[in-house]
Amino acid sequence: MSDVNYPEKGATYPREGGAAQIPLPEGYAHLRVAVPIGRGRDALRAAGEAVTTFRMHRSAGTVIRAEATRAAPGVAVEVGLGAGPLVLRVPCRVVWTVADEDRIGFGYGTRDGHPECGEEAFLVERHADDSVWFTVTAFSRPAAWFTRLAGPLVPVLQRGYARHLGRTLRRLTLPQLPPGGAPSP
């Protein structure tokens, strides 16, 4: 099912060269935020699991309602931002996923009723030096009167939210220490 409200569906899919090489469509604001998460396959797997099960979003304080427990193409997702009666519920649909040796993640696109029009990707990558990075890549433009009115404030908020997700994912991915804080021998 494809009910996204923009024509460039799948444009954030990570092609050869990684997330930094994704050419984003013209006519939209672009966002790329990369945050180091850790090192090695275990960090990749842990971070990838947190991303694709929406645990990262929930741990960051975002309300997520999804048709499935794991991101998969076609899954409808409703993202709730805010608190109490001031929660803004925004409809999205997962448009792609990837899970290979060095990359795990997904991208979702906006649907009618979303205050923005575009796509956002959440990707965990293990680089050649064994470092693991989380990258948020997005393209968007206002689709509602209040996002048009907010103008240049929207990209600032998006960048801050992406960095918050990265910090949350790093915390979720760190090896859990036993009580007392010292690793056992």
Side-chain angles (χ1 to χ4, degrees), residues 112-134:
D112 286 340
H114 195 296
E116 292 282 304
C117 174
E119 194 170 291
E120 189 166 23
F122 309 94
L123 184 66
V124 182
E125 293 179 291
R126 188 171 68 92
H127 294 183
D129 66 356
D130 211 32
S131 64
V132 175
W133 288 76
F134 169 66

Side-chain angles (χ1 to χ4, degrees), residues 119-180:
E119 194 170 291
E120 189 166 23
F122 309 94
L123 184 66
V124 182
E125 293 179 291
R126 188 171 68 92
H127 294 183
D129 66 356
D130 211 32
S131 64
V132 175
W133 288 76
F134 169 66
T135 304
V136 176
T137 304
F139 62 90
S140 63
R141 62 181 170 222
W145 67 268
F146 55 90
T147 51
R148 283 190 288 278
L149 183 64
L153 185 59
V154 173
V156 172
L157 295 172
Q158 289 173 325
R159 185 168 304 284
Y161 179 64
R163 288 184 177 135
H164 176 60
L165 289 176
R167 288 188 303 270
T168 300
L169 186 59
R170 185 173 32 222
R171 180 178 46 80
L172 291 173
T173 305
L174 288 174
Q176 299 302 308
L177 297 177

Side-chain angles (χ1 to χ4, degrees), residues 17 94 96 103 111-113 159 164:
V94 177
W96 62 262
R103 304 177 305 171
R111 298 166 58 202
D112 286 340
R159 185 168 304 284
H164 176 60

Side-chain angles (χ1 to χ4, degrees), residues 46-61:
E49 179 74 7
V51 167
T52 58
T53 61
F54 309 108
R55 182 173 169 229
M56 172 192 67
H57 285 84
R58 288 183 177 110
S59 295

